[in-house]
Amino acid sequence: MHARVTTLDMDPARVDEVRDQLERDDVPEFKKLDGFKGMTLLTERQTGKTIAVTFWQSEDALRQSEEAVKDARSRAAESGGAGEPQVERFEVILDTMA
C-alpha cells in the first residue's frame, strides 16, 4: 500500500468547512478511482495545521491518481485560507487499522 500526505496550514476557523467540503464533494470522487483505499484527515485546531493522508492499493494507483486529486487539494487550500500545500508520497510498511 502507498500513501500521499498533504500538509496544509489553514485558518483554524475554516478547518470544519474544508472537512465538510472534502467529505461531500471530493471523497465520493476519490472512491471511484482505481486503487483508492481510504482517507484520513488530521488537524491541530489551535494552529490550523492539517494533514490529509490518502491510501492507495499500489504505487501505480497512487501515481495514476495524481491529476484526479490535484483539484481537490487546490480547493481545500483555497477554502481553508492555506498557502501552497506540501505533498509527500510514502510506502506504507505497517498499518494496524481495520
Side-chain angles (χ1 to χ4, degrees):
M1 185 163 39
H2 284 72
R4 181 182 301 107
V5 178
T6 302
T7 304
L8 300 139
D9 291 314
M10 294 197 289
D11 175 348
R14 299 179 79 185
V15 168
D16 289 330
E17 174 187 339
V18 171
R19 180 209 52 219
D20 293 346
Q21 177 186 334
L22 280 165
E23 191 171 32
R24 179 187 64 243
D25 300 332
D26 297 312
V27 172
E29 295 303 312
F30 296 168
K31 289 179 178 180
K32 296 176 185 176
L33 298 173
D34 286 337
F36 178 73
K37 301 297 283 180
M39 179 179 190
T40 299
L41 193 63
L42 311 166
T43 195
E44 204 306 303
R45 287 191 180 274
Q46 305 299 12
T47 65
K49 182 175 183 176
T50 301
I51 300 170
V53 185
T54 55
F55 297 94
W56 303 89
Q57 185 173 5
S58 65
E59 183 177 10
D60 188 49
L62 181 145
R63 297 281 177 206
Q64 288 181 8
S65 71
E66 293 287 349
E67 276 302 309
V69 303
K70 188 191 263 184
D71 289 342
R73 184 169 45 239
S74 295
R75 278 192 303 278
E78 290 170 14
S79 296
E84 187 66 28
Q86 301 300 309
V87 181
E88 300 174 283
R89 293 150 191 89
F90 297 91
E91 179 180 358
V92 177
I93 60 172
L94 176 66
D95 176 27
T96 63
M97 294 178 71

